[in-house]
Amino acid sequence: DDFPIHYILTLSDGLYIFDERKNTVKHSGQGISKINYRMNGPTQDMFVDSRNKLWVATLQGVVRYDAAADTFHHFSMSNETVAPYVIKIKEDSKGNIWVLRVSNSKLSSGISMINVSTGKRINYVTPLILSHSLGSGKALSDMWIDKNDKIYLAGTSGLIRVTINSDKAESEMLKWGNMSLPPINTIVSENDSMLWLNSNRGLYRLNLNRPEAFQLYTEEESLYSNTANC
């Protein structure tokens, strides 16, 4: 769209919608403040899905905003005592919404799929995900989904690939040759097979179709700093 809609989410004054085509700014009548009791802190991520619905990651679940109806809907991410923080939201090829949950609880960490038609939530977790997300200094930080709906998780232990088969999750730690990846902060996709990984040891460019052909950019290649955060 040459004239996109821009969402501006504030900490204390709700949601603003900027329409470039009309050159107007609208303040959501219902406002995020109506559900502040569920947010209880800053938002972690925002995502607009293929149906033009806005999804907001919060410290106590996910909020979906429907601009046409000016309404909000809250999806809780946990029935347990320890509610997980939702830090990333993505959409797969079928239109399902995936969220990355982090918590100090084994019951609350992992990834979840929300079926937008039914509202049903399915949690997925594997021993590998748990072992690399719980404990001192261990955390997951980003998520990306490819065209085949394989899920990639970045974290302090590198890059984990998750495959969903018949509602069961299988996961593997990715390596390139004999090299283990360092802690990864962020995943940025150049296309569906080329990833940029930001780390504290430089910037990695990885071809998923040719894993041996990775490139590493550091201060020696004119990076300002080896610590890359995008």
Side-chain angles (χ1 to χ4, degrees):
D1 195 337
D2 293 333
F3 298 92
I5 300 295
H6 301 278
Y7 293 100
I8 305 165
L9 188 61
T10 68
L11 292 179
S12 59
D13 196 29
L15 180 69
Y16 289 83
I17 302 108
F18 172 46
D19 188 329
E20 262 192 70
R21 186 184 299 276
K22 299 178 182 178
N23 196 29
T24 59
V25 177
K26 173 188 174 183
H27 181 261
S28 171
Q30 190 172 359
I32 287 288
S33 59
K34 295 287 186 180
I35 50 171
N36 267 347
Y37 70 96
R38 288 196 176 100
M39 299 183 71
N40 194 28
T43 57
Q44 306 296 301
D45 193 22
M46 296 172 63
F47 179 81
V48 178
D49 68 16
S50 57
R51 301 171 181 83
N52 293 319
K53 300 291 193 297
L54 173 69
W55 295 78
V56 182
T58 78
L59 300 186
Q60 296 190 34
V62 175
V63 174
R64 183 183 65 195
Y65 174 66
D66 185 337
D70 194 21
T71 58
F72 292 89
H73 181 77
H74 175 256
F75 295 84
S76 175
M77 285 296 105
S78 178
N79 297 321
E80 295 83 29
T81 303
V82 181
Y85 295 171
V86 175
I87 62 171
K88 290 294 174 183
I89 305 174
K90 298 294 181 183
E91 183 179 16
D92 67 19
S93 64
K94 302 178 182 65
N96 297 311
I97 296 298
W98 289 84
V99 301
L100 175 58
R101 303 172 290 118
V102 295
S103 170
N104 290 327
S105 166
K106 290 184 178 180
L107 297 176
S108 300
S109 295
I111 53 178
S112 296
M113 184 197 76
I114 300 174
N115 185 313
V116 296
S117 298
T118 65
K120 181 181 179 182
R121 169 176 55 88
I122 303 175
N123 292 341
Y124 296 95
V125 69
T126 69
L128 181 64
I129 293 175
L130 284 179
S131 67
H132 290 86
S133 61
L134 297 177
S136 178
K138 295 182 179 180
L140 297 173
S141 58
D142 203 0
M143 176 174 62
W144 178 73
I145 303 177
D146 70 14
K147 65 179 180 181
N148 298 313
D149 292 336
K150 292 185 183 296
I151 301 168
Y152 295 78
L153 304 176
T156 53
S157 299
L159 194 64
I160 298 173
R161 180 166 57 199
V162 182
T163 303
I164 307 297
N165 290 316
S166 301
D167 291 335
K168 292 184 179 181
E170 300 176 357
S171 58
E172 58 182 320
M173 181 64 65
L174 295 186
K175 293 185 178 181
W176 274 259
N178 295 322
M179 185 192 76
S180 296
L181 289 172
I184 302 299
N185 304 316
T186 312
I187 306 171
V188 177
S189 61
E190 180 177 326
N191 52 51
D192 203 66
S193 62
M194 196 72 71
L195 299 183
W196 291 88
L197 306 177
N198 303 310
S199 77
N200 57 2
R201 298 182 188 173
L203 188 61
Y204 290 82
R205 187 171 186 257
L206 301 179
N207 187 331
L208 296 175
N209 296 327
R210 295 181 59 209
E212 74 282 356
F214 70 89
Q215 295 169 284
L216 173 61
Y217 300 90
T218 65
E219 292 175 352
E220 296 180 358
E221 284 76 35
S222 300
L223 272 189
Y224 178 76
S225 170
N226 282 342
T227 301
N229 290 286
C230 295

